[in-house]
Amino acid sequence: MQTVSELPSVPGFTLERVLGAGAYGRVYLARETTGLRRLVALKRFSSAEAFTREQAMQTRIEELRRQGRHAGIVPAFASGEHDGQGWIAF
């Protein structure tokens, strides 16, 4: 288990702990450092290809969410790249 000082940094968020890991990266419990200071699940991708694929899928999912097609869709709040790795906050 990583300590807070060993967790990667993502501007705008404080990563608190690892929630899970898989083939495409790790998911962290994180808190926004400004604004509403929401708790989020922040997925940090292990490759640019995985990040690009996930961003394209999230764009399609967001369109479905806006159309009201599925009440159970988790919204993505933000995405970006830092230190060469893409991330998405849910």
Side-chain angles (χ1 to χ4, degrees), residues 15-73:
L15 279 56
E16 296 184 4
R17 65 183 169 93
V18 175
L19 294 174
Y24 298 114
R26 289 188 172 188
V27 178
Y28 299 89
L29 176 65
R31 183 175 298 278
E32 294 174 311
T33 57
T34 60
L36 299 176
R37 301 188 43 81
R38 293 175 285 209
L39 278 175
V40 300
L42 190 139
K43 187 172 185 178
R44 196 162 183 257
F45 295 89
S46 55
S47 73
E49 294 80 21
F51 176 57
T52 300
R53 209 171 29 251
E54 182 78 13
Q55 256 190 328
M57 183 174 66
Q58 288 302 318
T59 299
R60 290 190 303 272
I61 288 171
E62 181 59 22
E63 180 59 33
L64 291 173
R65 193 184 69 72
R66 279 195 299 264
Q67 293 172 8
R69 289 203 164 158
H70 196 293
I73 295 176

